[in-house]
Amino acid sequence: MAIATESVREKWSSRWVFILAATGSAVGLGNIWRFPYVTGENGGGAFVLIYLLCVVSVGIPIMMGETLIGRRGRKSPINAMRTLALEEGVSTNWRFLGWLGVVAGFIILSFYSVVAGWSVAYIFYVGGGAFAGTNATASASLFDSFTGSAWRIIGWHSLFMVTTGIIVARGVTGGLEKAVKWLMPALFVLLLVVVVYAMSTGNLGAAVDYLFASDFSELTSKSVLAALGQAFFSLSLGMGAIMIYGSYLSAETSIPRTIGLVALCDTGIAMLAGLAIFPIVFGFGLEPGSGPGLVFVTLTIAFGHMPFGQLFGALFFLLLTVAALTSAISILEPVVAWVVESFRWSRRKASGISALSAWVLGVGSALSFNQWADIRLVGKTFFDWCEFLSTTVMLPLGGLLVAVFVGWRMSKRATAEELGIGEGVLFQTWRVLVQVVAPIGVLLIFGNALVIFLQDINVLD
Ligand code: PFF
C-alpha cells in the first residue's frame, strides 16, 4: 500500500490552491454549456429558483461532507470510504459509494470530452471568421453540419481526451495549479465582456424575465429532478471529485469557508452564462429549449457582430476549453487514483487505460449526433442516456449516500473536528441539512420523478 498511497498524498501548496482547483473542477461546461440549455428546456425562472435552492440546501452541505471525508480518509474515494468506515466501526460496504463514483466518472468523462471537443473546434471556427455577420439560421446550421460529421467530432473528442489523460498521468500539482490560477479569472473577465455585449444588444428584459420571474405553473417533477442533477453536476458532487481534492487539503484549512467560496464562484458563473446567452436567444428569435447546441449557436452570433468578435470569440472558446479541461481532470482523477491503489499500476498506465475506456464510451455519444441520431430508447439517444443516468441519477444518489454517511454513520465528534466550526448554530444547521433535508429532499425528488417516468412509459395508469 505504501507505494500506492503515495500517488494521492501530494498536498496543495496552500488553501488558495485548493480553492482554485476545486473551482476549476466545479466551473466548466456544466456552467456555460449545460446550465443555460437545461434551463431553456425546463422553462426558465422556476427551474433556476429550484436549482439555487438545491445548491444551498443540498449541494453545499454535501460538498462540505465530501471534502471532510476526503481529508480524513486521505485516499482515493473508495479506499477513503473504507478507511473511515473502519475507523467509525460501520460496514465497509460503504466503499460501494466510491464504486458508484468511479462508474459515474467514466460515463461523465465520456460525453464531457465530446462536448469539450466542440469547444476546441469552435476556437478555430470563430477565430477563422466562420461566424462574421452571422444570423440565427446560419449559426444553427453550421452547428448542425459540424456535429453531423461523426469523424470530425470524434477527432476533437480524441484530442481532448488524450490531453486530459496526459495531464492526469503527470500528477495533480505542478501544471494544474498554474493553469487554474490565471486562466479561470481570465474566463470570468471574458464572460463579463460577453454579458455586457449581450445586455446592450440583445433583449435583456425578456432574458431577465425568463431567468428570474418564476412561473411555477410551468414546473414539472422532471424539471425539479433536472435542477437537482444540475446542482450536483455543476458543483462536481456525488462521484468523489471533490472528495479526492479534499484528500490533498491541509488540516488547518477551514472547510466551510473554502467550500462557500467555491460554490459562490460556481453559481455566479452559471448565472453570468445565463445573462450572456438568454438576451441573445430572445434578441435573435432563437428557441430557448433547443438543446445541447444552445451555447454554440447563441454566443457565436454575439461574436459574429461585436467589435473584435473574432478575437474575443476564439479566446472565449479557448478559455472554455481550459475550464472544461480542469473539470475533466477532476473527473478522471478519482478513477485513476483508485486504479493505482487497487492494481498497483503506474499512474501513467492507469491514466492511459482509464482515458481510453472513457474515450470508447464517448464515441457512442459522438455518434448520437449523426449516425446513431435515430437510435433511441424511450425517446433518448445514447448521449441523452449517458447524461441522464450519470448526472441525474448517479450523482444525486452518490450525494445522498455521502449525506447519510457523514450525517448518520460518522460520529458527531469526527465531523465537528474536521469542519472546525465548533458545535454551535452553524454546525447544527449543517447537521440538520445532511441528516434530514438532503436525504429526504433527494428521495422525494427521486420518488416523484420515478412515478412520472413510469407513467410516461405506461407502466402505471
Ligand atoms: N462541475 C463540472 C462542470 O460544471 O462542468 C463537471 C463535473 C466535474 C462533474 C467533476 C462531476 C465531477 F465530478
Side-chain angles (χ1 to χ4, degrees), residues 118-175:
W118 301 349
S119 177
V120 184
Y122 267 57
I123 302 172
F124 301 101
Y125 284 142
V126 180
F131 292 94
T134 194
N135 56 34
T137 328
S139 181
S141 79
L142 200 146
F143 178 78
D144 289 340
S145 73
F146 165 61
T147 49
S149 157
W151 286 116
R152 213 178 296 169
I153 59 174
I154 290 174
W156 293 113
H157 160 54
S158 313
L159 179 67
F160 186 84
M161 191 66 92
V162 167
T163 314
T164 307
I166 290 177
I167 297 179
V168 172
R170 290 184 166 188
V172 180
T173 47

Side-chain angles (χ1 to χ4, degrees), residues 315-330:
L315 211 57
F316 179 86
F317 283 108
L318 177 68
L319 293 172
L320 180 58
T321 303
V322 175
L325 200 56
T326 55
S327 301
I329 290 164
S330 76

Side-chain angles (χ1 to χ4, degrees), residues 299-460:
L299 292 190
T300 43
I301 299 179
F303 294 128
H305 290 268
M306 69 165 74
F308 306 109
Q310 242 166 281
L311 178 70
F312 280 155
L315 211 57
F316 179 86
F317 283 108
L318 177 68
L319 293 172
L320 180 58
T321 303
V322 175
L325 200 56
T326 55
S327 301
I329 290 164
S330 76
I331 306 173
L332 185 55
E333 178 65 24
V335 177
V336 168
W338 170 73
V339 172
V340 169
E341 285 180 6
S342 309
F343 302 117
R344 314 265 174 112
W345 287 358
S346 69
R347 244 192 114 82
R348 275 174 68 176
K349 182 171 168 193
S351 308
I353 294 185
S354 310
L356 181 68
S357 323
W359 178 85
V360 172
L361 204 60
V363 169
S365 281
L367 293 176
S368 304
F369 293 89
N370 35 71
Q371 258 88 313
W372 290 2
D374 296 325
I375 304 180
R376 284 166 192 263
L377 189 68
V378 208
K380 286 188 192 317
T381 61
F382 185 81
F383 168 86
D384 295 334
W385 273 108
C386 285
E387 210 198 0
F388 174 77
L389 280 179
S390 57
T391 304
T392 316
V393 179
M394 297 168 97
L395 295 188
L397 195 62
L400 168 75
L401 294 175
V402 167
V404 172
F405 187 77
V406 292
W408 296 98
R409 306 315 286 164
M410 279 182 80
S411 67
K412 194 171 168 188
R413 184 191 49 78
T415 51
E417 212 171 274
E418 285 299 325
L419 292 184
I421 42 172
E423 295 201 9
V425 183
L426 256 180
F427 178 72
Q428 296 304 340
T429 312
W430 173 78
R431 241 172 104 79
V432 171
L433 290 174
V434 287
Q435 280 189 321
V436 185
V437 178
I440 294 188
V442 172
L443 282 179
L444 275 182
I445 297 174
F446 265 174
N448 204 8
L450 185 67
V451 171
I452 301 294
F453 177 73
L454 294 179
Q455 275 169 352
D456 270 5
I457 57 171
N458 296 325
V459 174
L460 298 180

